[in-house]
C-alpha cells in the first residue's frame, strides 16, 4: 500500500484498510523484535525528533526504541529545561524544529489540537503521541494490535472502556478505531467522568460496571488522574475503586477468556485489582511490546511515504 | 433654508427615495426626492442606489488603550468604527490601568478627541469594581462625572450576588445602568468553547449554556427585586433568551444585547481548533442561533453590539487552550447583519432599531431618527458592494475573525457625523 498521509493526528484520518495495513506492517516488525539482533537499516540516515512537551516516559521510550531499531537517529526535546522552554510559543518551537530539518516529529502535548497546530506549520510528518484530551492514535493502534494478536479479528467482539472517559484521549481514539475495525464499544464510568455529548458516540454507555461488563470480550481500563478528586468529580479513591475498580468478581460476568488492558501507568488497586493486573487475563505487558512494533510500523510508513507531488 | 449646509439626494430610506437636508450639524428635514426642492447648499451629494441609515452605536467594544495598544488603540479602533458605520462607541473598562478612576476616563476621551475630533465619539464604560476585582466598588460618581456612561465588570464576571446587588444600587444612584457579562464563573473556568458533542469530541474544556443562563436568572431576579434596570451583555443562547422573555413579560427592566457572531456562527466553527472562533461567551448551537434571531426580531433582544475584541496575531496563533477569547468585529458587523436582512432573517427596521435606536435609548445618547433637530449622524450604505475580509481590508489592528477570507456584501460608502463627513 502506498502511504498517502503526511501526518498522524488521529485514527479518524485512517480508512479501515489503512488501519489494517498499519497492523500488518507492525506484525512484520514484531518479528524483528524477537530476533537476537533487533535492528534493521530501514531508516538509516533519517532523523526523528521526539518532542514531549508533557512528560511521558513510556510513550517516549517506546518511540525511541522503535526509531533506533529502524536505525533512525532520534533526538529528544523536552519542554522544560531545553532552550525550547519558557515563553517560547509553540509556533516558534515548530519553526525551530523545522530548521533542524527532521523527517518526522513525534509530539506529546497537554493541549488538545496541538498536533494539528504543528502539522499545519511543518513540512515533515507529525505523529501525535497524545494531545490533551483529544487523541492518542498510536495507543489505539497498539491496543488494536494487541487484541488482533489474541483474537485474529475484532469483528463481532465487544470491548468495554472503563473509567475516566471524559479526560481520556486514549478512549476517544479507541472508540473510533475499534468501531472502524468492526468491534462493538461500551463505555462505563460515573456520569462526572463521561464527556459531554457521549450519547452521540458510537458506543453503548453505562454507569453500572456490573451491567457494562456482562459478556464483554475485553475490558480496557483507563488511568485515573488523582486530581479528579480536587476538581469535585469524585469523592475519593476508595469509593471509585469500590464502584469502578475492575476485579475478578466483575470478570466472572465477562465472556470466558475475556482480556484486560490498561494503557499504564497503573494505579494498582484503583482502576484495577492488583492480582487481576498480574493474572493470565491481563495483556498489559503485551501492550508494551505491541507499542514498539506499532510505532516502528508508523515511523516506517510515514517516513518512507511518497509525497503527493 | 439658507442655512442648509448639505443636501443628500436620492438616497433610499424605508424603500423610498429621499433627500436629506442638513443644517448646523443636525437634520433639517427629510423629504421625498420627487418634490425636487430647490435648495442652496454648500455641498450636494447624489446618493442614488445607496441606503440611508442612521449612524450605528456600538455599546460593547474593547479598544485596548491604555495598556494594550499593540492589539488596538483608540485611534485605530475609532478608524474601524468610522468605516464600519459606528458613530458612537462605548468602550469597556478592562484596560491597563483599568478604567476605574477619572484620570483614565479623561485620558481616553482626550485621545479620542485628538484622533477623531468629529467622531466617532467615544463613551467610556467605567469599571464596576476597583481593578475589576469584584472586591470593592469603583468610584462611580467620579467616573460618571468624568464621562462614563455605564458601569461593567465585563471580562471578569462578578460571582458574589450581594456585591453585584450593591453595585447595581450604587450605579443607579448615578443614573447609570450596569452591564453584566453573564457567566457563572465556576462553571466556565478555563473553558474555550460551548459544552456539547463537539467539545466532547475535540476534547476542549468547555462551558455549558447554563453557565450563562444561571447568571442571567440571577440578574433578572435582582433587577426585579431592586426595581433597577440591568443590561445583559452579549447573550448567546436560547436558555438565556427564554429567561429574558419571561422577565420582560413580568415588567422587569431588563435589556439585552447579542452580537453578529451569535446570529451567524455555531460551535462547529471551532473544528480544527480554530482559535479565531474562540470567543466568550462561546459560539453555541444551531438551535441557539435560531433562538437569537427570533429574539432579536421579537424585541426580546434589544440591541446589537460587536463585542469587538481585537488581539494581536501572535496571541491567537497558539495552542487553542492558550489563545485569548475574542473576535474583532467593528469592520464586519454591519455587513454581516446586512447579510441577515438579505436572507430575510431580519428586517431593515430590526437593524436600525438594534444598531441605533435601542442602544441610544438605553444609554441615554442622542439618536438620529431623521426628524428635524436630530443629530446629522448617518451613513450611506452600498448594499451591492462586495468585499473580502482580509487583514488589508480591516481597519482594526485586530485581524482576529473567523471571517477572514470570506466575501461579504454591503459596505459603508460614506459616513457623516454631526453633518461632517468622516468616511
Ligand atoms: Zn464580556
Amino acid at each position: 500500500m502506498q502511504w498517502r498521509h503526511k501526518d498522524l493526528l488521529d485514527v479518524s484520518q485512517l480508512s479501515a484498510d489503512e488501519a489494517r495495513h498499519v497492523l500488518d506492517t507492525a506484525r512484520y516488525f514484531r518479528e524483528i523484535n524477537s530476533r537476537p539482533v533487533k535492528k534493521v537499516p530501514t531508516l538509516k540516515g533519517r532523523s526523528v525528533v521526539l518532542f514531549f512537551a508533557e512528560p511521558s516516559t513510556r510513550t517516549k521510550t517506546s518511540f525511541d526504541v522503535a526509531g533506533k531499531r529502524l536505525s533512525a537517529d532520534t533526538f529528544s526535546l523536552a519542554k522544560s529545561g531545553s532552550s525550547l522552554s519558557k515563553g517560547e510559543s509553540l509556533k516558534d518551537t515548530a519553526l525551530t524544529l523545522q530548521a533542524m530539518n527532521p523527517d518526522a516529529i513525534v509530539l506529546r502535548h497537554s493541549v488538545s489540537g496541538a498536533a494539528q497546530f504543528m502539522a499545519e506549520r511543518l513540512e515533515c510528518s507529525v505523529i501525535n503521541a497524545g494531545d490533551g484530551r483529544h487523541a492518542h492514535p498510536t495507543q489505539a493502534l497498539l491496543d488494536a494490535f494487541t487484541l488482533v494478536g489474541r483474537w485474529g479479528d475484532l469483528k463481532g467482539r465487544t470491548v468495554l472502556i472503563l473509567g475516566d472517559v471524559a479526560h481520556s484521549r486514549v478512549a476517544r481514539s479507541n472508540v473510533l478505531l475499534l468501531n472502524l475495525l468492526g468491534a462493538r464499544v461500551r463505555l462505563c464510568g460515573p456520569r462526572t467522568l463521561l464527556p459531554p455529548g457521549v450519547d452521540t458516540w458510537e458506543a453503548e454507555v453505562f454507569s453500572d460496571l456490573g451491567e457494562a461488563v456482562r459478556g464483554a470480550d475485553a475490558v480496557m481500563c483507563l488511568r485515573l488522574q488523582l486530581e479528579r478528586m480536587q476538581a469535585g468529580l469524585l469523592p475519593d479513591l476508595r469509593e471509585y475503586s469500590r464502584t469502578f475498580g475492575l476485579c475478578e468478581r466483575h470478570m466472572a460476568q465477562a465472556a470466558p477468556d475475556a482480556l484486560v488492558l490498561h494503557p499504564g501507568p497503573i494505579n494498582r488497586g484503583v482502576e484495577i485489582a492488583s492480582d487481576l493486573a498480574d493474572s493470565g487475563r491481563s495483556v498489559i505487558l503485551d501492550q508494551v511490546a505491541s507499542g514498539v512494533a506499532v510505532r516502528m510500523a508508523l515511523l516506517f510508513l510515514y517516513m518512507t511515504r511518497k509525497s503527493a507531488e | 433654508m439658507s442655512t442648509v449646509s448639505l443636501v443628500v439626494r436620492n438616497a433610499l430610506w424605508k424603500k423610498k427615495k429621499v433627500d436629506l437636508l442638513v443644517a448646523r450639524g443636525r437634520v433639517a428635514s427629510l423629504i421625498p426626492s420627487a418634490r425636487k426642492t430647490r435648495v442652496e447648499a454648500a455641498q450636494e451629494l447624489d446618493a442614488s442606489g445607496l441606503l440611508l441609515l442612521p449612524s450605528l452605536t456600538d455599546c460593547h467594544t474593547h479598544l485596548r488603550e491604555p495598556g494594550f495598544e499593540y492589539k488596538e488603540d483608540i485611534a485605530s479602533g475609532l478608524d474601524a468604527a468610522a468605516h464600519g458605520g459606528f458613530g458612537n462607541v462605548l468602550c469597556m473598562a478592562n484596560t491597563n490601568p483599568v478604567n476605574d478612576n477619572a484620570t483614565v476616563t479623561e485620558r481616553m476621551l482626550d485621545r479620542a478627541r485628538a484622533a477623531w475630533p468629529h467622531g466617532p465619539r467615544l463613551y467610556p464604560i467605567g469599571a464596576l469594581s476597583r481593578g475589576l476585582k469584584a472586591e470593592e466598588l469603583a468610584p462611580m460618581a467620579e467616573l460618571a462625572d468624568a464621562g462614563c456612561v455605564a458601569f461593567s465588570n465585563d471580562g471578569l464576571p462578578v460571582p458574589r450576588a450581594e456585591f453585584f446587588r450593591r453595585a447595581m444600587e450604587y450605579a443607579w444612584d448615578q443614573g447609570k445602568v450596569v452591564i453584566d457579562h453573564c457567566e457563572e464563573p465556576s462553571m466556565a473556568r478555563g473553558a474555550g468553547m460551548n459544552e456539547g458533542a463537539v467539545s466532547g469530541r475535540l476534547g476542549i474544556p468547555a462551558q455549558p449554556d447554563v453557565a450563562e443562563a444561571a447568571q442571567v436568572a440571577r440578574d433578572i431576579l435582582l433587577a426585579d427585586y431592586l426595581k433597577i434596570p440591568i443590561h445583559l451583555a452579549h447573550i448567546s443562547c436560547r436558555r438565556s433568551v427564554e429567561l429574558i422573555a419571561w422577565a420582560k413579560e413580568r415588567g422587569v427592566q431588563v435589556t439585552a444585547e447579542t452580537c453578529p457572531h451569535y446570529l451567524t456562527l455555531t460551535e462547529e466553527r471551532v473544528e480544527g481548533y480554530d482559535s479565531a472562533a474562540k470567543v466568550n461567551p462561546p459560539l453555541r448551537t444551531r438551535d441557539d442561533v435560531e433562538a437569537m434571531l427570533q429574539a432579536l426580531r421579537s424585541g426580546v433582544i434589544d440591541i446589537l453590539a460587536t463585542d469587538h475584541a481585537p488581539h494581536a496575531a501572535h496571541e491567537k496563533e497558539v495552542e487553542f487552550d492558550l489563545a485569548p477569547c475574542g473576535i474583532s468585529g467593528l469592520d464586519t458587523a454591519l455587513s454581516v447583519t446586512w447579510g441577515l436582512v438579505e436572507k430575510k432573517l431580519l428586517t431593515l427596521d430590526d437593524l436600525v432599531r438594534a444598531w441605533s435606536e435601542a442602544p441610544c435609548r438605553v444609554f441615554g445618547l442622542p439618536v438620529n431618527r431623521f426628524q428635524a433637530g436630530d443629530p446629522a449622524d448617518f451613513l450611506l450604505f452600498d448594499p451591492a458592494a462586495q468585499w473580502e475580509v482580509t487583514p488589508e481590508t480591516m481597519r482594526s489592528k485586530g485581524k482576529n475573525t473567523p471571517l477572514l477570507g470570506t466575501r461579504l456584501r454591503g459596505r459603508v460608502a460614506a459616513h457623516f457625523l454631526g453633518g461632517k463627513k468622516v468616511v
Side-chain angles (χ1 to χ4, degrees), chain B residues 188-208:
Chain B
R189 203 160 289 142
M193 71 174 296
N194 182 47
E195 180 174 299
V198 180
S199 75
R201 188 155 40 76
L202 295 176
I204 292 179
Q207 58 152 294

Side-chain angles (χ1 to χ4, degrees), chain A residues 89-91 109 111-114 116-117 120-121 133-134 172 195-197 200-201, chain B residues 195-197 199-206 272-273 316-322:
Chain A
S89 72
L90 193 60
K91 181 192 174 187
H109 199 286
V111 172
S112 301
Q116 180 168 346
F117 182 92
E120 284 167 0
R121 285 161 182 80
R133 307 171 182 179
H134 171 232
R172 282 177 177 74
T200 64
W201 292 23
Chain B
E195 180 174 299
S199 75
R201 188 155 40 76
L202 295 176
I204 292 179
Y273 301 95
K316 280 280 195 180
E317 199 180 357
V318 294
E319 301 90 310
F320 187 87
D321 283 12
L322 306 183

